[in-house]
Amino acid sequence: MNLTLKIWRQNGSSDRGRMVTYEVQDVSPDMSFLEMLDVLNERLTLEGDDPVAFDHDCREGICGMCGMVINGVAHGEQRATTTCQLHMRHFEDGATVTIEPWRAAPFPVVKDLVVDRSSFDRIIQAGGFISVPAGSAPDAHAVPVPKDDADAAFDAATCIGCGACVAACPNGSASLFTAAKITHLGLLPQGQPERAARAKAMVEQMDAEGFGGCTNTGECTAVCPKGIPLDAIARMNADYLKTASK
Amino acid sequence: MDRAPAAPVRRRPRGFYGSSNGKKAVMAVTGAVLVLFLVGHMLGNLKVFLGADSFNHYAEWLRTVGSPALPNRTLLTIAEIGLTVAVVLHMWSAVSLARRAAKARPVKYAARVKPQAGGYATRTMRYGGVIILLFVIWHLLDLTFGVVNPKGGEAMPYDRVVAGFAPDRWWVTVFYVVALAMVGLHLRHGMWSALQTLGLAHRYKALKTASTVISAVLVAGFVAVPLAVMIGVVK
Ligand code: HEM
Ligand code: FES
């Protein structure tokens, strides 16, 4: 199949950037979206052009690096799918595909489609951890965890920190990401001692980074490659309000 | 490739209301106060269908409730002040969060963003809120102060309603219906959203259905009055 790509090109953070149109030929429907970009980049390299910079690592949907907005949708229109797991068979031959980086002030563009997501790291540093005394690992059954809590905590823990929630949110809010971490730790017994302080610190860091506020649009959940549900945000709000009222 | 600039770290939010979650919580609580007001207001309006005496008597009761223990209008004034404070806080928070959101996405997407969660009502919240506000201003001038009412502020409440929505003033009714449609959309999202903001939301399907049904009942109850005046059922 042949495609017309409109790709955001920006040569470093001080460049203004622009959309550039490319044609790619002979794309196999079995290729992943990233492999299709590899084909383009190979040609650009041979022609002496600068290849399109994009983030990727595992290419198996678990690292969260490969963020890009495809035709106005984070990771493309296929639900619960990272860009590396999106296959070209979902596109029509001859289609025009627009590819842009995540757009948010706390995610500055490094180059082309690559953005700096350190703001997420700083939210984690603010409280997305548990302080445990180091030592030998406790027996697996030493701390009982109710099955439902374990399942819900695990679902939240599947967040790969890709940033699609921010990219899709009309307010540029990082609530789903932050809430996933707060839910994952706050549901487990080990997370209880720091639960209140954690919610407060992480929510404040989210604001300090310049993310927008949540208006419960649900766009984040809809594009989340891991399908983190909205009730994570309700839990974050509840934890935050509990500390704030003290 | 040069290094990305450090993310624009803003001033740390100060205090509860300084945080976006705090502002949202204020919005949810003030919104809930306004919803309770709307329910009461709608039920009161429906007294129009019981005739002029019943409606005027109800309006009189609002003024005299609590007397003789309290001077006339005491409770009414308290309610008016409370509602004004709620509206101001609600809007202040809305504007401040909207500005935050605009700053969080300085560069827009080139492709038309396709909403993935449906949520038409969600996208009407901000401009719909402004339409509701303009309507509330007109509505107070018309039926509370009588400034733009053909009968003026001295007439009995029932007569003001009948004159305000008279068939030759059809545009008043049209504005009323449009504004109420915006209220309906606002609350369709707003009611479950408020519970979510306060961390109380569970069972989203049921919550959203309840929000939709309550909004629809409210809109129907409000719209019934001017429509009845317009077609001459209430005169
Ligand atoms: C009859 C008057 C009004 C009622 C009953 C009402 C009610 C509500 C409720 C219950 C919420 C949900 C709070 C939350 O999401 O946590 C809300 C949100 C909101 N309201 Fe209002 N409101 C009214 C008037 C206004 C006005 C005049 C404005 C604008 C100036 C406005 C703008 C907003 C905005 C922007 C939101 C947030 C939207 C979102 O959460 O997605 N509202 N409102
Ligand atoms: S490259 Fe790792 S999730 Fe896509």
Side-chain angles (χ1 to χ4, degrees):
Chain A
M1 52 199 289
N2 300 325
L3 297 169
T4 304
L5 304 179
K6 291 189 174 164
I7 306 180
W8 181 259
R9 298 305 308 264
Q10 181 175 340
N11 195 12
S13 54
S14 43
D15 183 14
R16 290 198 54 199
R18 71 219 67 88
M19 300 299 289
V20 178
T21 305
Y22 299 95
E23 306 288 335
V24 272
Q25 272 91 33
D26 301 326
V27 172
S28 154
D30 295 331
M31 281 178 182
S32 74
F33 200 84
L34 299 188
E35 285 165 338
M36 183 275 295
L37 288 177
D38 291 339
V39 170
L40 170 69
N41 276 347
E42 213 160 353
R43 200 194 78 209
L44 291 180
T45 310
L46 288 176
E47 288 170 357
D49 275 345
D50 196 17
V52 178
F54 61 89
D55 258 335
H56 61 107
D57 188 14
C58 68
R59 296 210 179 197
E60 53 186 21
I62 55 170
C63 77
M65 286 301 280
C66 55
M68 49 189 86
V69 172
I70 302 166
N71 288 337
V73 183
H75 291 301
E77 270 185 88
Q78 210 60 24
R79 288 276 162 120
T81 307
T82 54
T83 306
C84 58
Q85 294 297 298
L86 175 64
H87 287 86
M88 297 314 295
R89 55 180 162 271
H90 300 298
F91 295 83
E92 277 178 24
D93 189 22
T96 300
V97 181
T98 317
I99 312 172
E100 299 170 78
W102 289 167
R103 293 291 188 202
F107 287 167
V109 173
V110 178
K111 185 177 171 150
D112 299 338
L113 304 173
V114 178
V115 298
D116 180 356
R117 281 169 287 201
S118 311
S119 45
F120 267 13
D121 297 340
R122 289 188 291 269
I123 292 176
I124 296 291
Q125 282 163 10
F129 49 79
I130 56 165
S131 308
V132 284
S136 58
D139 284 338
H141 63 292
V143 185
V145 182
K147 174 82 168 103
D148 287 348
D149 289 353
D151 287 349
F154 188 84
D155 284 347
T158 59
C159 168
I160 52 178
C162 65
C165 44
V166 175
C169 176
N171 304 303
S173 171
S175 287
L176 193 64
F177 166 77
T178 309
K181 306 303 171 191
I182 286 175
T183 299
H184 152 209
L185 298 170
L187 274 171
L188 297 174
Q190 296 87 339
Q192 296 313 309
E194 286 155 309
R195 182 166 160 192
R198 173 183 309 118
K200 187 160 189 289
M202 292 180 80
V203 165
E204 284 179 2
Q205 188 64 33
M206 186 167 76
D207 276 346
E209 295 291 344
F211 290 104
C214 173
T215 59
N216 306 322
T217 66
E219 291 296 322
C220 49
T221 316
V223 301
C224 176
K226 301 298 159 184
I228 308 281
L230 271 192
D231 45 15
I233 297 183
R235 173 172 283 276
M236 170 174 80
N237 293 340
D239 278 5
Y240 177 77
L241 290 177
K242 249 178 242 151
T243 57
S245 62
K246 271 189 205 130
Chain B
M1 195 199 300
D2 47 346
R3 279 173 50 82
V9 176
R10 296 162 136 241
R11 195 159 43 84
R12 238 164 220 289
R14 255 186 277 147
F16 179 67
Y17 194 68
S19 78
S20 53
N21 278 49
K23 287 202 171 70
K24 259 323 275 286
V26 168
M27 216 155 159
V29 171
T30 52
V33 169
L34 294 173
V35 170
L36 290 182
F37 160 73
L38 285 186
V39 171
H41 188 19
M42 181 202 75
L43 293 175
N45 287 358
L46 292 177
K47 290 222 165 204
V48 145
F49 292 104
L50 301 180
D53 287 344
S54 172
F55 189 71
N56 288 337
H57 186 262
Y58 160 69
E60 184 59 23
W61 173 79
L62 286 181
R63 264 159 256 276
T64 56
V65 60
S67 87
L70 298 166
N72 280 349
R73 285 199 62 101
T74 307
L75 291 179
L76 186 61
T77 306
I78 291 174
E80 283 167 350
I81 293 172
L83 287 172
T84 309
V85 169
V87 169
V88 170
L89 282 176
H90 191 82
M91 278 170 31
W92 187 279
S93 312
V95 170
S96 142
L97 284 169
R99 290 182 52 194
R100 238 197 117 75
K103 275 196 206 136
R105 174 149 308 129
V107 184
K108 305 275 172 281
Y109 289 108
R112 215 164 64 83
V113 171
K114 287 188 209 136
Q116 297 296 296
Y120 176 73
T122 315
R123 275 167 276 135
T124 66
M125 296 304 276
R126 289 182 182 140
Y127 78 84
V130 174
I131 295 177
I132 297 171
L133 176 70
L134 293 177
F135 168 73
V136 169
I137 293 171
W138 165 269
H139 189 65
L140 290 175
L141 291 177
D142 185 5
L143 294 171
T144 306
F145 303 113
V147 182
V148 294
N149 188 284
K151 294 261 174 169
E154 298 307 313
M156 290 303 276
Y158 186 88
D159 298 332
R160 271 183 268 161
V161 170
V162 173
F165 296 114
D168 60 330
R169 281 172 39 110
W170 54 271
W171 44 273
V172 175
T173 305
V174 169
F175 185 23
Y176 190 102
V177 171
V178 169
L180 257 295
M182 293 322 298
V183 172
L185 286 171
H186 200 87
L187 296 189
R188 189 186 167 195
H189 175 67
M191 279 195 277
W192 82 263
S193 174
L195 291 175
Q196 168 82 356
T197 298
L198 297 176
L200 303 172
H202 304 281
R203 309 204 24 236
Y204 290 86
K205 263 220 164 83
L207 261 188
K208 288 184 182 182
T209 308
S211 294
T212 308
V213 171
I214 299 172
S215 308
V217 170
L218 267 178
V219 172
F222 274 111
V223 165
V225 175
L227 289 187
V229 175
M230 221 171 84
I231 60 174
V233 175
V234 169
K235 51 181 180 266

